[in-house]
Amino acid sequence: FAGFLRDITSRHEAESERLRLVKEAVASRASEEAARVRAEFARQEAEHERRRLEFLEYVGLQMASTMDYTVTLESAARAAVPAIADVCVVTVVDPDGRPQPVAIVHADPERERLARELVRPHLMTSASLPGVADAMRTGEHELVPEITDDVLARCVHDEQHARFLEVLDLRSSLSVPMKASDRILGVIALGYTRSGRGIQPDDLVVATAFAARAGLHIDNARLYTERSRIADTLQRSLLPAQLPAIPDLEVAAHYRAAGDQNEVGGDFYDVFASQPGVWTAVIGDVSGKGAQAAALTALTRHTLYAAALRDSSPARNLAFLDEAMRRRAQAPASFSTVLYARVCPSRDSTGLTLASGGHPSPLILRADGRVERVEVPGTLVGILPEARFEDRDERLGPGELLLLYTDGATELRRSDLEFGERELVRSLRGQAGRSAAQVVEAVGGRIDELQDGSPRDDVALLAIRTPPDG
């Protein structure tokens, strides 16, 4: 037997070191790859979060910009695709309790077009998406993680509906109710198709925030619309439904409300028969806005109507109104300006008796084109303990016109305080020979033009004209 021993300690240590370094390199590469994956995932999550926040910010801005919720929800649904979903269908319950689709948006424009065509003749379709009916009934969000054939079969109620769901090509959906004031106003359905996207936990948070804002927006829009309708109805009730047809006389009016359409304006006018062959025309402007102005306008019109039936003097009737307003004053600064005209038409001329309660002086357009300002002294109505009113007689010859107006026609908010008065006279001067209706239309148009189409105050015009001979 022969043998030998060799010391391989150094080689073994070198091999161990090499293995250690290889392991460290592999671990480092794996750690680096994991860090890269984590960084990419974090970047994607940050991008998704940015898109979600931008979407909610966009929705908020859209809802703050208009009270037309159908336009807003259509725009918001279009922003939701593809930001948070492949399909977005918004269904709103109308005031009669019927669900109506207001937005259908699909990532595929062709599928969106087909879906809209199918919905048009079948308005209830969108309320039958998987999960929508349940969300509308329970008021809680409904998640359908997988829309199988069995799920679709339970939803389908006719052939057209089946075609609609086929076109949408949904694979999963999330339905979130829109609620306000403990009422369910509709449902927002987010769908996912074959794109491979799915519902993430944060999607529910975004969808819930979207639905909450949309519910408040719909509720506010409906309240605003209802208030506007009430204000418009009340405003109309404070003006004559139509002007009377007066023999041997032309009468025309122009009214333009300014400011918030939810507010009742303070300007008014009226024309009515007060005695045989005698007509009364009044125009005025009461203090305040809204309900206070409406109450004061009603008091003014009805009091003058009753006074005109028992007394023919405009000045005495304004004094009667002044007493009534001071006795019934609902606020310390409740007052009115009024121009009262007693009109006695005949075949060749029209007799006028005018009285003013602090109202802008009327204008007379003579047949030859001259414009005369009729100065009628008088104090504000309803605020001074010793109000004074005077009668002044005038006459309109053939083809001549009396124009009554409120201060909104001349207050143009310019440094030259008399600019509005001059422009009113100038625009009236060019209307000689035209009918009363043509005059108020032209003058009203000029006022709108000077105020850039947005009057800062209510504008009321009332024209009375004696037709020319023949």
Side-chain angles (χ1 to χ4, degrees), residues 150-168:
D150 291 339
V151 172
L152 292 176
R154 289 194 297 269
C155 291
V156 170
H157 49 72
D158 60 30
E159 183 178 348
Q160 187 172 6
H161 186 204
R163 175 61 178 154
F164 174 76
L165 294 175
E166 179 184 349
V167 167
L168 291 182

Side-chain angles (χ1 to χ4, degrees), residues 179-203:
K179 296 184 286 186
S181 304
D182 297 325
R183 293 179 296 122
I184 298 175
L185 302 178
V187 172
I188 295 174
L190 301 176
Y192 302 87
T193 61
R194 299 175 188 270
S195 63
R197 299 171 62 180
I199 300 171
Q200 304 298 323
D202 288 342
D203 291 337

Side-chain angles (χ1 to χ4, degrees), residues 279-328:
W279 298 80
T280 294
V282 295
I283 192 168
D285 185 1
V286 303
S287 61
K289 292 284 186 181
Q292 177 186 345
L296 202 54
T297 299
L299 173 64
T300 301
R301 284 187 63 204
H302 296 155
T303 301
L304 289 178
Y305 178 78
L309 297 181
R310 71 185 187 101
D311 196 322
S312 62
S313 169
R316 287 196 294 270
N317 289 339
L318 286 183
F320 180 73
L321 171 64
D322 177 76
E323 181 182 357
M325 287 182 63
R326 285 189 287 109
R327 290 189 178 188
R328 293 289 301 274

Side-chain angles (χ1 to χ4, degrees), residues 4-36:
F4 65 91
L5 296 175
R6 180 183 297 172
D7 186 358
I8 60 172
T9 300
S10 59
R11 189 176 72 182
H12 179 72
E13 289 178 348
E15 182 69 17
S16 297
E17 180 66 13
R18 186 183 70 81
L19 289 175
R20 185 184 68 79
L21 291 175
V22 169
K23 288 181 180 179
E24 287 183 358
V26 170
S28 176
R29 182 175 298 179
S31 177
E32 181 182 346
E33 181 66 19
R36 188 187 66 77

Side-chain angles (χ1 to χ4, degrees), residues 81 84-89 147 170-174 189-193:
V81 177
I84 59 175
D86 300 322
V87 179
C88 182
V89 178
I147 299 179
L170 297 178
R171 290 297 174 265
S172 60
S173 68
L174 172 64
L190 301 176
Y192 302 87
T193 61

Side-chain angles (χ1 to χ4, degrees), residues 19 29 53 70 97 131 167 179 208 216 240 251 261 290 319 379-380 383 389 413 454:
L19 289 175
R29 182 175 298 179
L53 292 176
T70 58
V167 167
K179 296 184 286 186
T208 302
L216 289 175
V251 182
Q261 62 178 326
T379 57
L380 293 174
I383 196 170
F389 310 102
R413 305 292 194 275
S454 302

